[in-house]
C-alpha cells in the first residue's frame, strides 16, 4: 500500500479542523501537516501544534527560499505548507493537509497523485451557526469568511471527492473509506 497525500479543503467553519483531529486520532499512520501562518494565535492554540506562527518577514523569507509546497494569502494573512515537513512525514505514513482550495489545486499541480477532498456543509446557515458557536472570530470576520464560501464551493468540480459534513462521524468514516481505497490503488 502506498503512502498518500490527502488535501482537505472547504469553507471556513465547515468542520475541517474537527474532522482532521478525529482522523488523526483514529489513524496512527496519518499525520496532519502543520502549516505556517502570519495570523494571530487563537485562544487555546499553541505554536507548533495548530500552526507554526511566524512573522510576515519570516514568511516572505521562506517564500524566497522556496520553502513552501504552496502558500496563499487570505483574510489579510499568509498561510503556507512547509515543503520539507511534508516530505519527511510522507516517508513514514500518510499526510493530511488542511488548506484552502487554491492551495489544494496548487498541490495537485506538483503532486498529481495527491487526493483532493472537499468538505461541504449541509447548508450555508449551518456554517454561520457553527462559526458563531465556535466563537473565535468577530461578526465582521465571520461575514468575511462566509462571503468566501461561494468561491471555495465553486471549485468543487476540480476536486476528486466531495464529503458532506452533516453528521460528523459519518463524514469521518466516509473519508476513511476513501483513503483506504486510494491507498490500495
Ligand atoms: P473549520 O476548520 O472548517 O474552519 P471547525 O472544525 O473549526 O471548522 O468547525 C467549526 C465549528 O463547527 C466548531 O465549533 C465545531 O465544533 C463545529 N462542528 C464541526 N463539525 C460539526 C458537525 N458535523 N456538526 C455540528 N457542529 C460541527
Ligand atoms: P484558519 O485561520 O481558520 O485557521 O484558516 C483559514 C483558512 O486557511 C482555512 O481555509 C484553511 O484551510 C487555510 N489554510 C490553513 N493552512 C493553509 C496552508 O498551509 N495553505 C493554504 N493555502 N491555506 C491554508
Amino acid at each position: 500500500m502506498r503512502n498518500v497525500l490527502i488535501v482537505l479543503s472547504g469553507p471556513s467553519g465547515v468542520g475541517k479542523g474537527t474532522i482532521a483531529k478525529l482522523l488523526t486520532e483514529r489513524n496512527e499512520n496519518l499525520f496532519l501537516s502543520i502549516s505556517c501562518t502570519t495570523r494571530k494565535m487563537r485562544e487555546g492554540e499553541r505554536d507548533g501544534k495548530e500552526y507554526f506562527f511566524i512573522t510576515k518577514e519570516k514568511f516572505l523569507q521562506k517564500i524566497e527560499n522556496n520553502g513552501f509546497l504552496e502558500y496563499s494569502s487570505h483574510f489579510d494573512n499568509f498561510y503556507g505548507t512547509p515543503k520539507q515537513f511534508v516530505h519527511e512525514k510522507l516517508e513514514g505514513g500518510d499526510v493530511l493537509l488542511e488548506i484552502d482550495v487554491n492551495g489544494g489545486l496548487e498541490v495537485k499541480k506538483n503532486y498529481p497523485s495527491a487526493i483532493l477532498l472537499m468538505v461541504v456543509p449541509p447548508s450555508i446557515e449551518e456554517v454561520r451557526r457553527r462559526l458563531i458557536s465556535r466563537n473565535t472570530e468577530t461578526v465582521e470576520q465571520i461575514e468575511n469568511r462566509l462571503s468566501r464560501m461561494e468561491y471555495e464551493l465553486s471549485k468543487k468540480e476540480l476536486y476528486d471527492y466531495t464529503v458532506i459534513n452533516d453528521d460528523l462521524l459519518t463524514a469521518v468514516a466516509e473519508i476513511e473509506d476513501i483513503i483506504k481505497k486510494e491507498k490500495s490503488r
Side-chain angles (χ1 to χ4, degrees):
M1 288 222 261
R2 64 185 181 120
N3 289 340
V4 288
L5 181 60
I6 305 133
V7 175
L8 203 62
S9 304
S12 183
V14 76
K16 299 179 298 292
T18 311
I19 289 174
K21 185 164 178 284
L22 261 179
L23 279 172
T24 48
E25 280 169 7
R26 285 162 52 129
N27 300 277
E28 57 177 19
N29 243 2
L30 179 66
F31 303 105
L32 180 61
S33 164
I34 304 172
S35 296
C36 296
T37 184
T38 60
R39 86 149 156 74
K40 280 211 189 81
M41 216 185 276
R42 290 181 192 138
E43 211 177 304
E45 288 183 329
R46 278 160 297 166
D47 186 35
K49 189 89 170 71
E50 284 78 11
Y51 286 103
F52 295 111
F53 294 92
I54 63 176
T55 60
K56 192 170 171 189
E57 289 69 35
K58 253 193 142 173
F59 199 102
L60 295 175
Q61 204 179 351
K62 213 168 158 70
I63 295 175
E64 284 274 300
N65 297 337
N66 200 18
F68 291 116
L69 256 188
E70 62 72 39
Y71 67 91
S72 62
S73 102
H74 39 113
F75 313 129
D76 296 329
N77 290 303
F78 284 107
Y79 295 81
T81 308
K83 198 183 268 181
Q84 197 186 344
F85 185 90
V86 170
H87 283 156
E88 281 170 11
K89 293 290 180 194
L90 261 180
E91 282 173 20
D94 303 313
V95 179
L96 185 64
L97 304 181
E98 190 204 319
I99 61 180
D100 78 324
V101 283
N102 293 340
L105 295 172
E106 193 60 33
V107 166
K108 188 84 173 181
K109 263 198 239 160
N110 301 323
Y111 291 86
S113 62
I115 305 154
L116 300 190
L117 235 149
M118 171 89 68
V119 183
V120 301
S123 70
I124 291 172
E125 264 320 296
E126 176 60 17
V127 181
R128 188 190 299 273
R129 269 195 292 276
R130 287 180 190 176
L131 281 173
I132 291 169
S133 76
R134 189 170 73 183
N135 202 19
T136 50
E137 271 89 14
T138 63
V139 172
E140 195 193 342
Q141 284 169 329
I142 288 178
E143 288 310 320
N144 199 353
R145 279 162 189 256
L146 285 172
S147 66
R148 195 183 147 84
M149 171 148 35
E150 213 170 308
Y151 173 75
E152 295 263 335
L153 294 177
S154 74
K155 302 287 177 187
K156 206 167 64 179
E157 313 307 328
L158 299 172
Y159 267 55
D160 300 309
Y161 297 94
T162 300
V163 174
I164 302 174
N165 181 22
D166 190 354
D167 174 67
L168 180 62
L169 291 180
T170 305
V172 168
E174 206 178 311
I175 294 172
E176 285 173 343
D177 281 348
I178 292 169
I179 296 175
K180 208 188 281 172
K181 189 178 87 184
E182 289 283 348
K183 278 182 73 63
S184 57
R185 268 190 179 208

